[in-house]
Amino acid sequence: MTATLELPNGDHVTPSDVFLFNDYPYRYVPLDADEYAFKLSPLVWGGAGMDVPFDDVAELETQWGPNSAGLLSESAWRDWLADALADDRFDRSEVDAIAWEVLEPSWRERLGHALGLRDAPEYP
């Protein structure tokens, strides 16, 4: 499988990109195995048995729901994080971990995190 995947909305993602798939942040993982072409790995729970394997892009298109948005801007991720904090499906530590991945923390936030003074970059 190639190192780039075209999502059903037209966005092109690499394994380092985070995108919204069915209302959760995921990363694309190309596979060399014969069984599946690629998988989508949930940002926080990736590798914990929650990855979603696909035979091909056509199969992804059938599972691309109305809560899938592909790549988001930082402000759109901030909105998603605020919504996630109000959603009982997510706890604060999971949302904080996602914030580190989808936001651009300042050098002060990164330093505070390294010193154990910050759990996450500033967001709602």
Side-chain angles (χ1 to χ4, degrees):
M1 192 73 200
T2 64
T4 302
L5 174 69
E6 182 176 357
L7 300 175
N9 70 342
D11 289 343
H12 289 81
V13 295
T14 67
S16 63
D17 294 320
V18 178
F19 57 93
L20 197 64
F21 171 66
N22 291 338
D23 206 28
Y24 197 83
Y26 279 80
R27 281 200 168 103
Y28 158 64
V29 179
L31 299 175
D32 291 329
D34 293 332
E35 189 173 352
Y36 296 105
F38 63 93
K39 65 183 176 179
L40 300 185
S41 184
L43 192 58
V44 172
W45 304 109
M50 298 178 72
D51 295 351
V52 183
F54 293 92
D55 292 324
D56 54 33
V57 175
E59 185 180 6
L60 172 60
E61 289 173 358
T62 66
Q63 293 187 37
W64 190 263
N67 291 326
S68 298
L71 297 169
L72 298 180
S73 66
E74 183 164 335
S75 65
W77 277 120
R78 287 183 182 283
D79 291 344
W80 186 90
L81 291 164
D83 291 344
L85 283 176
D87 189 326
D88 291 340
R89 295 177 297 159
F90 306 103
D91 67 21
R92 181 71 191 220
S93 63
E94 180 179 7
V95 178
D96 286 353
I98 292 168
W100 281 111
E101 296 288 331
V102 301
L103 299 179
E104 297 286 335
S106 70
W107 69 269
R108 288 182 182 160
E109 290 169 327
R110 289 191 304 273
L111 178 61
H113 183 67
L115 296 173
L117 304 174
R118 295 192 70 91
D119 290 332
E122 284 189 35
Y123 68 95

